[in-house]
C-alpha cells in the first residue's frame, strides 16, 4: 500500500505508526469527544439503545447508543466504550445494572435526560426492561420495533403450514439459478426478451425475514420468463432439472407465492418505516395498525385468523396500548387520518385519561391546560 501511494503521489509523506497512534488518533478522539459532548449537553429527550454482539475478535460485548433528534432528523452517538461481557452471567439483573449505570452517567456527565430506551427481546433484555420500568417509571422502555416486525414476518412462515412448502419451492428456484451460471445466463437472455431488463434471483436469510418478500417477489416478477425458460430448455436436464420443471409448471406454487407476497407486503412497508431515522412511536403504532388491517382483509379466513391472533398476542406481550394510542392521537396527521372526525364518536375521555396519567408518570406533575386543548 505504501509503495502504491508513493507511486501515485511521490511527494506524499506518510506518517509513521507511532505518529498515528500517539498523536493523530488521540487528537481525533479528543475532538470527537468534545463534539459528542456539545451535542448531548442539556438535551431533555434522548433515546438510548443497547445490544449485545460479537466484535471482530469474537468477544461478546455490550454497547450503548444515544440518539439525538434535531431539525435534520437524528444523530447517533456511541456512549463510551463497549463493555466486554465474555464469560459474564448475562441475565436480566446484569443488563439492568449496566443500563442504569449508563443512564446515570448521561444525567451526571451531560446534564441530559434519557426518556426512551429500546432493545431487542431476548430473555435477559425483556427482564431488564421490566425491572427498569419499575425503577424508572418516567422513562419509556420498549422492544426494538424493527425486530418485532421482523419476528411477525417469521410468524407468517411458522404458523401457516402451506407457506413452508411454497417457500421451499421458491428456494429451489432461486438456489438453482444462483449456483448455475450457465442457467442464469440463459434465463437473463429470456428476461431481456420479455422485460428488456434482468431480474436477479435472490435467496432469503432466516434472521432477516423481510428478505423472504424480496425473494418471492423477484420470482413472481419473472414468472413469464421462468416458465418460458422451462419450456425452451425442458429437454436439457442440465439446465432444467426435473424438480425445477415440476415447480415452474405447478399452478399451486404460483398461487401460494402470490398469497405470501400479499401477506408480507404491509409488513415490509412497516419494517422500512420502523428503520427510518425519523420514525416515532406514533409511526410504529400506525405501521402495526396497517399490518393488522392487512391480515384482517385476507381472503383465506383461516390464515387471517391465525395471523391476527399471533399479532394480537405479540402486541399484548410487548406494547403498552395507552402509550401508542395517545401518541397516535396527538400526531396531527394520524389524528385526521385514523380517528373519526365527529367529536361525539371519538372516545376522547379515555384518551384524555391515558394522556393525563402518562403526563404525571413522565413529568411527575399534573398536566397543564395545554393537554386538554390538544385532546
Amino acid at each position: 500500500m505504501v509503495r502504491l501511494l508513493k507511486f501515485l503521489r511521490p511527494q506524499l509523506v506518510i506518517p509513521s505508526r507511532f505518529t498515528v497512534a500517539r498523536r493523530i488518533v488521540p487528537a481525533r478522539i479528543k475532538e470527537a469527544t468534545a463534539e459528542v459532548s456539545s451535542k448531548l449537553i442539556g438535551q431533555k429527550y434522548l433515546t438510548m439503545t443497547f445490544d449485545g454482539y460479537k466484535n471482530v475478535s469474537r468477544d461478546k460485548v455490550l454497547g450503548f447508543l444515544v440518539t439525538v433528534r434535531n431539525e435534520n432528523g437524528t444523530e447517533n452517538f456511541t456512549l463510551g466504550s463497549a463493555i466486554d461481557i465474555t464469560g459474564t452471567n448475562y441475565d436480566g439483573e446484569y443488563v439492568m445494572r449496566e443500563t442504569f449505570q449508563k443512564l446515570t452517567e448521561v444525567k451526571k456527565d451531560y446534564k441530559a435526560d434519557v426518556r426512551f430506551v429500546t432493545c431487542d427481546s431476548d430473555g435477559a433484555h425483556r427482564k431488564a426492561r421490566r425491572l427498569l420500568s419499575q425503577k424508572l417509571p418516567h422513562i419509556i422502555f420498549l422492544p426494538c420495533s424493527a425486530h418485532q416486525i421482523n419476528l411477525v414476518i417469521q410468524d407468517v412462515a411458522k404458523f401457516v403450514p402451506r407457506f413452508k412448502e411454497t417457500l421451499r419451492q421458491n428456494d429451489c428456484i432461486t438456489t438453482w439459478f444462483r449456483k448455475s451460471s450457465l442457467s442464469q445466463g440463459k434465463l437473463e437472455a429470456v428476461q431481456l426478451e420479455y422485460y428488456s431488463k434482468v431480474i436477479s434471483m435472490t435467496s432469503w436469510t432466516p434472521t432477516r425475514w423481510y428478505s423472504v418478500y424480496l425473494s418471492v417477489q423477484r420470482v413472481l416478477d419473472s414468472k413469464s420468463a421462468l416458465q418460458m425458460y422451462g419450456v425452451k430448455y425442458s429437454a436439457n436436464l442440465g439446465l432444467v432439472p426435473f424438480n425445477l420443471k415440476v415447480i415452474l409448471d405447478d399452478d399451486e406454487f404460483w398461487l401460494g407465492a402470490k398469497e405470501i407476497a400479499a401477506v408480507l407486503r404491509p409488513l415490509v412497508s412497516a419494517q422500512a418505516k420502523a428503520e427510518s431515522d425519523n420514525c416515532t412511536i406514533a409511526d410504529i403504532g400506525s405501521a402495526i395498525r396497517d399490518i393488522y388491517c392487512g391480515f384482517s382483509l385476507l381472503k383465506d379466513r383461516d390464515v387471517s385468523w391465525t395471523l391476527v391472533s399471533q399479532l394480537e398476542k405479540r402486541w399484548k406481550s410487548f406494547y403498552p396500548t395507552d402509550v401508542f394510542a395517545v401518541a397516535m392521537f396527538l400526531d396531527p396527521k394520524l389524528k385526521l387520518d385514523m380517528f373519526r372526525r365527529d367529536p361525539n364518536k371519538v372516545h376522547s375521555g379515555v384518551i384524555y385519561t391515558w394522556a393525563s396519567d402518562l403526563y404525571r408518570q413522565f413529568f411527575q406533575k399534573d398536566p397543564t391546560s395545554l393537554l386538554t386543548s390538544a385532546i
Side-chain angles (χ1 to χ4, degrees), residues 50-54 60-63 85 90 120 122 125:
F50 64 86
D51 197 8
Y53 58 95
K54 289 185 178 180
K60 190 167 184 182
V61 295
L62 176 62
I85 57 175
Y90 192 75
D120 66 16
D122 65 18
H125 291 175

Side-chain angles (χ1 to χ4, degrees), residues 173 226-235 237 239-250 254:
I173 295 174
L226 283 166
Q227 290 183 322
M228 175 53 68
Y229 172 89
V231 171
K232 190 173 183 179
Y233 301 105
S234 59
L237 291 177
L239 293 175
V240 187
F242 178 74
N243 64 328
L244 179 62
K245 177 64 175 172
V246 169
I247 295 171
L248 294 178
D249 291 340
D250 186 359
W254 294 107

Side-chain angles (χ1 to χ4, degrees), residues 155-283:
D155 288 344
V156 172
K158 182 178 179 182
F159 292 103
V160 185
R162 71 171 184 273
F163 282 3
K164 294 180 182 179
E165 175 60 18
T166 302
L167 290 176
R168 185 196 66 78
Q169 292 174 313
N170 187 87
D171 205 35
C172 285
I173 295 174
T174 58
T175 299
W176 173 259
F177 288 104
R178 289 177 66 249
K179 76 177 185 180
S180 172
S181 57
L182 179 61
S183 297
Q184 182 182 2
K186 293 188 178 298
L187 174 63
E188 288 177 356
V190 178
Q191 289 174 336
L192 288 170
E193 182 181 342
Y194 269 75
Y195 316 119
S196 300
K197 65 178 182 179
V198 171
I199 302 174
S200 60
M201 300 289 106
T202 62
S203 61
W204 50 277
T205 306
T207 55
R208 297 289 182 270
W209 286 96
Y210 53 84
S211 63
V212 173
Y213 172 78
L214 179 61
S215 179
V216 172
Q217 191 61 53
R218 289 285 181 86
V219 170
L220 286 171
D221 290 343
S222 191
K223 177 181 177 181
S224 298
L226 283 166
Q227 290 183 322
M228 175 53 68
Y229 172 89
V231 171
K232 190 173 183 179
Y233 301 105
S234 59
N236 188 338
L237 291 177
L239 293 175
V240 187
F242 178 74
N243 64 328
L244 179 62
K245 177 64 175 172
V246 169
I247 295 171
L248 294 178
D249 291 340
D250 186 359
D251 290 338
E252 289 296 320
F253 163 73
W254 294 107
L255 288 173
K258 278 186 178 180
E259 190 173 9
I260 289 176
V263 170
L264 295 184
R265 195 168 290 116
L267 284 162
V268 174
S269 299
Q271 181 89 25
K273 187 180 291 186
E275 293 178 347
S276 167
D277 286 343
N278 297 317
C279 182
T280 65
I281 294 177
D283 292 327

